[in-house]
Amino acid sequence: MLDLESLFNLSYGMCIISSKKGNDFNGCIVNTVFQITPEPPMIAVSVNRQNLTHEYITKSKVFVVSILAEVAPLEFIGRFGFRTGRDTDKFQGVNYKLSIAGAPIVLDNTAAFIEAEVTNAIDVETHTLFIGRITACETIDKSKVPMTYNYYRDVKGGRTPRTAATYIAKRPKTKSKQGVKEMKKYKCLMCGYIYDPAVGDPDNGVEAGTAFENLPHDWVCPDCGVGKDEFEPIEE
Ligand code: FE
């Protein structure tokens, strides 16, 4: 038996992992940071190879983990988790300071940070496990409670991007209603996700063949968590 949903019972913390390339910064959301050894202090993180942050870490051999607090709004998480740094500067308008090696430490909505120097990188299929020696770590705000992955999903109603190490795909239902061709596609203004009525949103219980107008009023963008009013029809 391979009931992948049982993996949701594992506990994780929500973090932004960031790095640099020259004067450029980028970061993305990960929930797979863990400490390996206390002495010397070593940590590991699993990062999707497709992420721009992956490229930056590979080249600069440094990464910073900014540990997100429960107060972090979904839009803030969406900015780092569901947009790509290839066409947007994720750090614009975000408070940050530089680590020893010059990578950005996020100061907004974070409880603490860890900077590490990569000592080893292990290829694991779609992801790389970066292992790093901790070069600096500090509590940013003692009063902030770190956000667990379960809190993000269950309390904040957050979603999991397709590139995440813990993403589990649900198969779309093939049943299709008549007239689906006339239904308009809608684009999320926040993250660029496109709702296609021919596909629906099977991960969140929306069958293929459901018009955007017929989505439940509390339906949110599966990629960044904003509501239906942040969408606009695509003219074809
Ligand atoms: Fe979105």
Side-chain angles (χ1 to χ4, degrees), residues 188-193 221-226 231:
C188 173
L189 300 174
M190 178 67 137
C191 74
Y193 166 86
C221 173
D223 275 0
C224 74
V226 299
F231 278 74

Side-chain angles (χ1 to χ4, degrees), residues 85-232:
R86 290 188 176 88
D87 48 44
T88 176
D89 175 6
K90 296 188 188 182
F91 282 88
Q92 194 175 27
V94 172
N95 284 309
Y96 64 90
K97 66 175 183 182
L98 296 184
S99 70
I100 299 166
I105 298 163
V106 180
L107 299 174
D108 295 333
N109 306 308
T110 48
F113 82 88
I114 306 162
E115 179 196 48
E117 191 180 53
V118 175
T119 57
N120 207 347
I122 302 168
D123 284 347
V124 187
E125 309 285 339
T126 51
H127 287 62
T128 298
L129 185 67
F130 290 107
I131 294 169
R133 180 192 287 258
I134 297 176
T135 44
C137 51
E138 213 176 295
T139 299
I140 293 169
D141 186 343
K142 262 192 199 148
S143 69
K144 289 207 172 95
V145 180
M147 189 190 293
T148 63
Y149 182 58
N150 278 350
Y151 184 91
Y152 167 68
R153 283 185 67 94
D154 299 344
V155 182
K156 302 208 86 105
R159 312 289 166 163
T160 307
R162 277 164 258 277
T163 54
T166 55
Y167 176 71
I168 295 174
K170 286 193 182 160
R171 262 187 245 123
K173 290 183 184 159
T174 47
K175 193 175 119 191
S176 182
K177 290 174 187 161
Q178 269 191 335
V180 75
K181 281 201 175 118
E182 288 94 73
M183 294 177 193
K184 274 194 176 136
K185 292 179 184 173
Y186 275 70
K187 185 178 181 178
C188 173
L189 300 174
M190 178 67 137
C191 74
Y193 166 86
I194 290 170
Y195 176 79
D196 181 352
V199 178
D201 179 14
D203 284 352
N204 299 299
V206 175
E207 272 186 48
T210 306
F212 184 82
E213 296 77 11
N214 295 336
L215 289 170
H217 67 92
D218 58 351
W219 180 84
V220 294
C221 173
D223 275 0
C224 74
V226 299
K228 284 176 76 177
D229 43 353
E230 297 290 333
F231 278 74
E232 131 185 317

